[in-house]
Amino acid sequence: MQAQGSGRSQTIRPRTHDWGTSMKKQVLVLGGNFGGLTAAITLKKALHGDVDVTVMSDRDYFLYNPSLIWLPFGLRKREDITFQVGPTFEAAGVEFVQKAAAKIEPELNRVVDVDGVIHPYDYLVIATGTVNDWARVPGVKENAGTIVTLADAEDSGRRWREFLNDPGDIVIGATQGASCFGAAYEYLFNVSYQLRKAGIKKQVKLTYVTAEPYLGHFGIDGMPTGEFMVDMFMKKESITAITNMAMEYVSKDAVKLADGRELPFKYAMVVPPFLGVDAVRSCDTISNAAGFVPVRDTYQTKTYDNVYAVGLAAAVQVPWTTPVAVGVPKTGFPTEIQAHVAAANIASQIAGLVPTREKPFAEIPALCVMDAGNNGIMLLGDHMLKPRRAAMLIPGPQNHAIKIGLEKYFLWKSRTGRVNLP
């Protein structure tokens, strides 16, 4: 079928069932990682197949992002932390389309892909993740690199191998507006551990620069003993920390700070802020200026009852003000919870009921393991954001083993479609 678009014909993707009163509802999920995979398979199982679910993604693999901190050091390879999603979706009865979305048209209940093909839907789940905001601090992409995507981590690995042949000072940081502070800390401490293993620890000045108002803020306004514990790790590893600091630019051999200081380096890794993907950012009826989707506690968008957003794609209101802008981290654990909530509410709507399942982001439990090479810190809290009734940090070498165990578990669980397991 052809539909006339803006200046060119567009192919309408046909529905895969008969038209009529018994027509199954169509659910389209954008993104196939933690949020998209969980939402799609959960919904398919919840309705026992009485729904057509399609996942559309620009890539054909699932990535276990938390393990990217190890990849630059050769401790992980691409194939260790990814798997092909096609067989997983096929086994669950979910259709998979490897294609990037170009335009979301919620007023018409459809998504247009990069080839101009139209994908109609009754319900839409946006789980598209993010892109790096390279423009926030010029030079980061070219001169420092980062580790927040697979390609980024592989590039940082190339830079690390070059560094080992010509060592010097190192700068690790998280810019103003960044939210992935956990990864910055993990990489910092893993770098320190790798320097010691290489026998060059004493030759290298290691500096951490962060927008956080204090060490251990983590983008969640801290936890009990957090500042003390992180500071203790910093001193133990002889790391210089600069907090409450914005970056101006990164040249080929120095980071220029907002206060005028320059930090020379031979190797640098900087975590940038994120933006929503182009297709979401260009749809101003559902997204904010940064391309994230404001949602209700049901994870329905503020403007459309049949459009949901989960994980990195969903906007989170920062409940505090800091001198330098600090974002809120959105990791795999809360993303899975959001995806389950969205799937339950879509199932209710398909059954003719009002969606009532709610789980505000701030009330999702905090569960994170911060690896430090052969050590680490476990963060536990009953709520992601304050106020919390219970929260603690548990240091120790057991956390490195726990981090590895979680990697194996989540990859197995996701690959085999056992998304209802905790």
Side-chain angles (χ1 to χ4, degrees), residues 104-285:
I104 299 172
E105 298 178 333
E107 69 282 359
L108 299 175
N109 290 334
R110 69 186 195 180
V111 171
V112 183
D113 70 27
V114 290
D115 291 330
V117 177
I118 294 173
H119 301 258
Y121 64 79
D122 296 300
Y123 298 93
L124 177 67
V125 180
I126 300 171
T128 43
T130 62
V131 293
N132 296 330
D133 183 3
W134 295 119
R136 184 70 68 93
V137 179
V140 169
K141 180 180 181 181
E142 299 80 7
N143 300 312
T146 189
I147 56 163
V148 295
T149 73
L150 183 56
D152 292 334
E154 290 177 332
D155 178 63
S156 288
R158 175 188 60 81
R159 296 173 189 265
W160 178 256
R161 291 187 293 275
E162 292 175 355
F163 164 82
L164 290 177
N165 290 326
D166 184 21
D169 292 344
I170 294 177
V171 176
I172 306 296
T175 73
Q176 57 271 29
S179 57
C180 201
F181 295 100
Y185 279 115
E186 288 189 289
Y187 198 69
L188 173 72
F189 293 125
N190 271 272
V191 163
S192 184
Y193 177 66
Q194 292 297 324
L195 289 173
R196 185 174 289 108
K197 285 184 66 177
I200 57 174
K201 172 70 174 172
K202 293 182 179 180
Q203 304 172 30
V204 177
K205 181 181 179 181
L206 181 54
T207 303
Y208 178 66
V209 181
T210 179
E212 298 164 277
Y214 54 86
L215 292 175
H217 183 281
F218 299 125
I220 58 174
D221 203 15
M223 297 184 75
T225 74
E227 184 174 9
F228 167 79
M229 197 170 294
V230 174
D231 183 63
M232 180 181 68
F233 268 66
M234 292 283 187
K235 290 177 179 175
K236 174 179 175 293
E237 296 297 319
S238 301
I239 298 169
T240 300
I242 302 174
T243 60
N244 197 33
M245 183 56 63
M247 298 181 189
E248 190 172 318
Y249 65 82
V250 178
S251 69
K252 65 181 180 62
D253 56 9
V255 175
K256 176 71 176 294
L257 304 181
D259 64 1
R261 281 182 288 175
E262 290 195 4
L263 304 176
F265 65 79
K266 278 293 185 72
Y267 180 84
M269 191 290 294
V270 176
V271 173
F274 298 140
L275 295 170
V277 301
D278 290 345
V280 179
R281 196 160 69 246
S282 64
C283 185
D284 58 11
T285 59

Side-chain angles (χ1 to χ4, degrees), residues 355-375:
T356 58
R357 183 77 66 87
E358 296 183 351
K359 190 64 173 180
F361 176 85
E363 297 179 9
I364 295 174
L367 172 60
C368 180
V369 180
M370 191 179 81
D371 183 67
N374 63 344
N375 208 331

Side-chain angles (χ1 to χ4, degrees), residues 77-83:
K77 299 186 293 294
R78 173 184 290 250
E79 55 267 28
D80 296 326
I81 57 175
T82 64
F83 64 82

